[in-house]
Amino acid sequence: PFNLQRGGAIWVSFSYTCKRPGLADDAVREKLLNRFNVAVGGLSTTNTRGFPQFPASRLVDAETAGRFEEVAREYIALAVENQN
């Protein structure tokens, strides 16, 4: 569900996960996108079928990292939901 790029950016891979049952609804992805945006202080795009990204260096701050982890855990759970 995430990619770490050579330049130090973390991408939220909505493009790869948007067809999974738990993330098929645009409203669900939009809610997650908004939560990621708040958690890390801004993303590169608002495209819920794309690859919003942010600098990994933002996760140095413990509070930011904690907020990111909380949203990331929910995102991962939805991405693997009903994947048998």
Side-chain angles (χ1 to χ4, degrees), residues 59-73:
L59 299 181
V60 170
D61 177 73
E63 288 182 22
T64 300
R67 289 190 304 266
F68 171 78
E69 181 181 358
E70 182 180 321
V71 183
R73 286 181 182 276

Side-chain angles (χ1 to χ4, degrees), residues 40-63:
V40 300
L43 296 169
S44 63
T45 183
T46 58
N47 183 354
T48 61
R49 292 183 176 269
F51 296 93
Q53 61 181 296
F54 66 94
S57 60
R58 292 183 186 167
L59 299 181
V60 170
D61 177 73
E63 288 182 22

Side-chain angles (χ1 to χ4, degrees), residues 6-46:
R6 183 176 297 185
I10 294 176
W11 293 16
V12 181
S13 302
F14 283 130
S15 181
Y16 295 141
T17 59
C18 68
K19 293 183 179 131
R20 303 240 175 132
L23 294 165
D25 186 339
D26 286 332
V28 170
R29 290 191 314 281
E30 187 171 338
K31 179 182 172 188
L32 286 167
L33 180 88
N34 290 336
R35 290 183 61 211
F36 276 124
N37 196 33
V38 169
V40 300
L43 296 169
S44 63
T45 183
T46 58

